[in-house]
């Protein structure tokens, strides 16, 4: 378990969010952190894919070839 001290503005925003969503502040913070971590992971994956493309480590294929390979 980790304790976090929020600045006043974040505390106010999470309090409002929790009240509107009928959830606890803890749940609102947990949900926000889960979403942030998922977005961060997606961004890292995309950055790696772009690096591979720019370093010619990955081969680009035509869309029609990609579609055809899906049904083989």
């Amino acid at each position: 378990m980790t304790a976090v001290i929020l600045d006043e503005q974040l505390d106010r925003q999470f309090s409002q969010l929790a009240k509107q969503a009928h959830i606890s502040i803890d749940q609102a913070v947990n949900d926000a952190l889960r979403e942030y971590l998922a977005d961060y992971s997606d961004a890292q994956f995309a950055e790696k894919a772009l690096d591979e493309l720019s370093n010619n480590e990955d081969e680009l294929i035509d869309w029609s070839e990609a579609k055809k390979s899906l049904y083989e």
Side-chain angles (χ1 to χ4, degrees):
M1 179 177 194
T2 301
V4 177
I5 298 173
L6 301 174
D7 64 43
E8 288 181 34
Q9 182 180 1
L10 277 175
D11 187 52
R12 222 177 3 262
Q13 289 174 318
F14 273 110
S15 293
Q16 287 177 336
L17 172 67
K19 186 176 181 179
Q20 290 171 351
H22 304 289
I23 59 176
S24 68
I25 294 172
D26 289 344
Q27 185 64 50
V29 171
N30 277 295
D31 291 349
L33 288 173
R34 274 191 201 91
E35 188 70 27
Y36 173 82
L37 291 172
D39 289 348
Y40 185 80
S41 177
D42 290 346
Q44 285 185 314
F45 180 77
E47 188 175 309
K48 183 177 183 242
L50 288 173
D51 285 345
E52 289 174 359
L53 280 174
S54 65
N55 294 329
N56 295 321
E57 295 175 20
D58 206 358
E59 181 182 341
L60 293 177
I61 60 172
D62 184 75
W63 172 240
S64 61
E65 289 179 46
K67 279 196 321 188
K68 189 168 70 172
S69 71
L70 291 172
Y71 299 108
E72 290 180 348

